[in-house]
Amino acid sequence: MTDRHYPGRATEAFFGRRKGKPLRDRQAESLAMVLPALKLDLAAPAPARLADLFSVPVDEVRLEIGFGGGEHLVHRAQESPVTGFIGVEPFVNSMAKLVGRVIDLDLRNIRLYDDDATQVLDWLPPASVDRIDLLYPDPWPKRKHWKRRFVSQVNLERFHRVLKPGGLFLFASDIDTYVNWTLIHCRNHGGFEWLAQDASDWLTPFAGWPGTRYEAKARREGRSSAYLTFRSV
């Protein structure tokens, strides 16, 4: 890590539990054997070129925060083999599932981190990331917990620092209050331009969108989703 000043984390707690059901033997073995090779080493300085993090040539780098079951991350990594993906997920069971898919599909354009995404954001060099995906983050629906939502002025400042000029921030949620919260925070920040031209733009899934299990659950429970795209300005 460098000596740069970072926003404090003392009050930041953006995710809940870290573990679920006990891992199956194969999952535990894969996690123990493979994750160390894929995990970002934040104790070392970030490379000047993030492309150097990957064992295959990549033309751009994207960051997905809280990839859940990993469906979207795996889909994008297969869809764009010359894009490098950094996936962050603190939930052990989700990480184990993703690592298994990386092994099965021999994906070489994925790096991972299994803890707080703000640590990765503070480690990354300025203007180094082409796109950030925050898809169905924990909405913390109770008003008293809203301060734990990942979208905040301090985190938007982190996003703005690491995104290249013109880089994209994509947000999806089925919780109306969080959608409105994100629109207001991005507007107030001033460094993000919402790219929607009409209602169909934010009601239509992103190009190439594979869907996620969280989205499927929302549909079953009668909730629609919003898909917001912001450009760093």
Side-chain angles (χ1 to χ4, degrees):
M1 299 284 283
T2 70
D3 292 330
R4 276 201 313 264
H5 172 72
Y6 299 118
R9 292 191 186 84
T11 60
E12 296 175 3
F14 306 114
F15 51 85
R17 60 191 183 129
R18 294 291 300 271
K19 295 181 180 180
K21 297 183 295 185
L23 300 178
R24 297 190 296 272
D25 290 344
R26 181 176 181 273
Q27 287 180 314
E29 182 180 359
S30 296
L31 199 62
M33 297 294 292
V34 178
L35 180 58
L38 297 178
K39 183 175 177 177
L40 298 178
D41 180 8
L42 303 195
R49 293 180 64 257
L50 288 190
D52 294 338
L53 290 171
F54 302 90
S55 62
V56 295
V58 299
D59 297 333
E60 63 175 17
V61 175
R62 299 182 190 177
L63 170 66
E64 182 168 341
I65 296 173
F67 56 72
E71 304 97 335
H72 180 265
L73 182 58
V74 168
H75 173 81
R76 296 300 189 188
Q78 291 181 287
E79 175 187 66
S80 304
V82 294
T83 297
F85 292 86
I86 297 173
V88 182
E89 175 56 65
F91 189 54
V92 173
N93 300 67
S94 294
M95 182 63 73
K97 181 178 180 181
L98 187 280
V99 167
R101 294 289 286 157
V102 168
I103 295 170
D104 293 342
L105 298 171
D106 192 27
L107 297 174
R108 308 284 181 92
N109 58 336
I110 290 181
R111 296 297 302 270
L112 300 170
Y113 192 68
D114 59 349
D115 207 321
D116 186 349
T118 64
Q119 297 171 2
V120 175
L121 288 164
D122 289 345
W123 177 79
L124 291 168
S128 59
V129 174
D130 295 271
R131 172 169 149 178
I132 295 174
D133 290 332
L134 184 63
L135 309 174
Y136 292 94
D138 193 324
W140 295 108
K142 294 181 180 179
R143 183 179 291 271
K144 66 180 181 181
H145 293 152
W146 283 4
K147 63 185 178 182
R148 301 183 69 177
R149 289 176 169 176
F150 200 86
V151 174
S152 65
Q153 290 304 315
V154 68
N155 282 341
L156 288 176
E157 187 57 33
R158 287 177 165 120
F159 286 7
H160 197 259
R161 186 187 72 84
V162 304
L163 279 171
K164 295 178 181 179
L168 300 178
F169 163 39
L170 274 62
F171 175 91
S173 179
D174 59 306
I175 305 300
D176 290 345
T177 59
Y178 204 176
V179 173
N180 293 336
W181 169 281
T182 299
L183 288 169
I184 291 169
H185 276 70
C186 285
R187 180 201 65 192
N188 292 346
H189 180 274
F192 295 92
E193 177 188 8
W194 186 27
L195 298 185
Q197 299 296 315
D198 54 52
S200 64
D201 291 339
W202 55 271
L203 295 175
T204 303
F206 307 120
W209 178 251
T212 73
R213 58 193 174 106
Y214 296 108
E215 184 180 63
K217 179 182 178 183
R219 295 287 185 276
R220 290 195 302 270
E221 296 176 357
R223 295 189 303 276
S224 58
S225 299
Y227 308 88
L228 310 181
T229 300
F230 302 92
R231 180 166 55 211
S232 179
V233 296

